[in-house]
């Protein structure tokens, strides 16, 4: 009947409007978080890295090799994301819309995103260097001062070094949501689909690096619980956690169980 047709048409329009609203929401989230992330990269390069290079010029205990291993190619990541944000501003505009070609914009920078493979593979080395430096009270105070001068009272250098890993691991989630609300006949559908595949591939490489870093953190945390530890840090020579569980300490006939 005519009434039934009107109801079906109205329901279809409601679904269409819902998809448009949801896609716009995801577009805005990608756009804003990309700008925020680029700001964090800029802080890392222009504030943290530059301060360390100034210190290295007057401190022989901090070499350029240390700095290179700590920050890897983060300066190249900053260049890539500045270009990406500039293109997003042109292609998406100051007011993102349902039609915004986000997928196309990210695919344009596909070659640049390969830099994350280098960053991910180096991250384990970076964490080792950071553990070594933070065990030195002078460096620990210096790092704290760098963050305080930058107005980051609740953040650490370690958290900024880890931001690229976190960001690349979030892309598949963002693009999966974007694709979910991008109809097949949308002009950005194919590009969004390809961008999702690209991010998943990158994330698989980064996830392994992330797991290695998490194992290093567990080893470092364990060492911190050992009373009277002498010698070099375990993470300097070991990066694999083989087994974990309770440990029984026997001292002067007394037994004490510890995790």
């Amino acid at each position: 009947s005519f009434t039934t047709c009107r109801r079906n048409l109205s329901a279809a329009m409601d679904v269409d409007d819902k998809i448009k609203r949801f896609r716009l929401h995801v577009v805005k989230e990608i756009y804003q978080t990309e700008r925020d992330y680029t700001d964090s990269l800029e802080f890392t390069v222009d504030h943290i890295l530059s301060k360390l290079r100034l210190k290295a010029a007057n401190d022989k205990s901090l070499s350029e090799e240390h700095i290179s291993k700590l920050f890897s190619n983060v300066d190249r990541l900053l260049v890539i994301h500045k270009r990406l944000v500039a293109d997003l501003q042109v292609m998406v505009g100051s007011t993102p819309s349902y039609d915004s070609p986000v997928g196309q914009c990210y695919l344009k920078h596909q070659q640049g995103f390969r830099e994350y493979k280098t960053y991910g593979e180096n991250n384990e080395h970076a964490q080792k260097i950071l553990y070594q430096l933070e065990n030195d009270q002078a460096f620990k105070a210096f790092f704290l001062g760098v963050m305080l001068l930058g107005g980051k009272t609740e953040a650490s250098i370690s958290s900024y070094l880890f931001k690229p890993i976190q960001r690349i691991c979030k892309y598949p989630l963002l693009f999966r949501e974007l694709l979910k609300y991008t109809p097949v006949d949308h002009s950005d559908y194919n590009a969004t689909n390809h961008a999702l595949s690209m991010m998943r591939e990158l994330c698989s490489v980064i996830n392994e690096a992330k797991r290695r870093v998490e194992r290093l953190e567990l080893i470092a945390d364990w060492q911190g619980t050992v009373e009277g530890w002498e010698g070099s840090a375990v993470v300097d020579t070991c990066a694999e956690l083989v087994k974990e569980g309770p440990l029984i300490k026997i001292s002067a006939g007394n037994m004490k169980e510890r995790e």
Side-chain angles (χ1 to χ4, degrees):
S1 67
F2 178 71
T3 303
T4 303
C5 286
R6 285 188 62 184
R7 285 175 181 168
N8 290 341
L9 180 61
S10 177
M13 288 177 67
D14 287 344
V15 170
D16 191 46
D17 286 343
K18 184 178 179 181
I19 288 173
K20 286 183 176 180
R21 286 199 308 273
F22 283 165
R23 186 177 200 274
L24 176 57
H25 174 76
V26 180
V27 167
K28 286 180 176 178
E29 183 179 2
I30 291 173
Y31 186 41
Q32 185 56 53
T33 56
E34 194 62 59
R35 293 174 67 180
D36 293 342
Y37 171 60
T38 303
D39 286 344
S40 74
L41 286 178
E42 196 161 21
F43 179 82
T44 301
V45 173
D46 295 345
H47 185 76
I48 301 174
L49 181 54
S50 65
K51 292 284 190 297
L52 275 176
R53 280 180 172 154
L54 283 173
K55 182 174 177 59
N58 302 303
D59 190 336
K60 292 181 180 179
S61 64
L62 182 64
S63 67
E64 185 58 40
E65 184 181 359
H66 280 137
I67 294 173
S68 179
K69 285 183 177 178
L70 260 179
F71 293 92
S72 185
N73 58 341
V74 69
D75 49 348
R76 293 203 293 277
L77 295 184
L78 174 60
V79 171
I80 292 160
H81 285 274
K82 276 187 171 181
R83 290 172 180 167
L84 175 60
V85 167
D87 282 343
L88 279 170
Q89 288 172 340
V90 172
M91 298 174 77
V92 174
S94 56
T95 52
S97 72
Y98 165 77
D99 297 315
S100 296
V102 174
Q104 294 174 38
C105 192
Y106 277 82
L107 276 186
K108 181 181 175 183
H109 296 273
Q110 185 171 5
Q111 185 69 31
F113 270 92
R114 291 177 183 172
E115 292 284 351
Y116 275 94
K117 188 173 184 293
T118 301
Y119 192 88
E121 289 172 345
N122 178 74
N123 199 247
E124 183 179 341
H125 299 298
Q127 293 297 330
K128 284 184 178 181
I129 295 291
L130 192 61
Y131 289 142
Q132 291 170 0
L133 293 176
E134 286 185 335
N135 281 330
D136 184 307
Q137 289 303 313
F139 274 113
K140 193 171 184 179
F142 172 76
F143 287 150
L144 180 62
V146 166
M147 300 308 287
L148 289 174
L149 284 171
K152 311 293 182 181
T153 56
E154 296 181 2
S156 65
I157 287 180
S158 178
S159 68
Y160 272 81
L161 290 176
F162 203 60
K163 280 181 184 289
I165 305 293
Q166 292 175 318
R167 182 62 182 174
I168 207 70
C169 289
K170 190 171 183 180
Y171 279 127
L173 303 177
L174 291 170
F175 277 93
R176 186 179 65 187
E177 282 299 293
L178 185 64
L179 186 65
K180 182 178 177 181
Y181 300 114
T182 304
V184 178
D185 60 352
H186 192 286
S187 61
D188 199 42
Y189 179 83
N190 288 333
T192 301
N193 198 16
H194 289 150
L196 174 58
S197 297
M198 175 183 80
M199 295 307 182
R200 280 175 170 164
E201 184 181 341
L202 276 172
C203 198
S204 66
V205 175
I206 296 298
N207 268 332
E208 179 52 35
K210 188 178 177 183
R211 282 190 288 270
R212 291 200 303 267
V213 170
E214 286 169 350
R215 290 196 293 267
L216 278 177
E217 289 174 344
L218 284 172
I219 293 169
D221 289 344
W222 168 80
Q223 183 178 323
T225 66
V226 179
E227 297 174 8
W229 180 272
E230 295 181 1
S232 60
V234 180
V235 294
D236 291 349
T237 55
C238 176
E240 289 296 326
L241 185 66
V242 178
K243 187 177 178 64
E244 61 179 319
L247 177 70
I248 296 175
K249 178 184 177 183
I250 302 175
S251 178
N254 298 318
M255 294 176 63
K256 183 179 180 183
E257 186 175 297
R258 298 181 63 179
E259 287 292 329

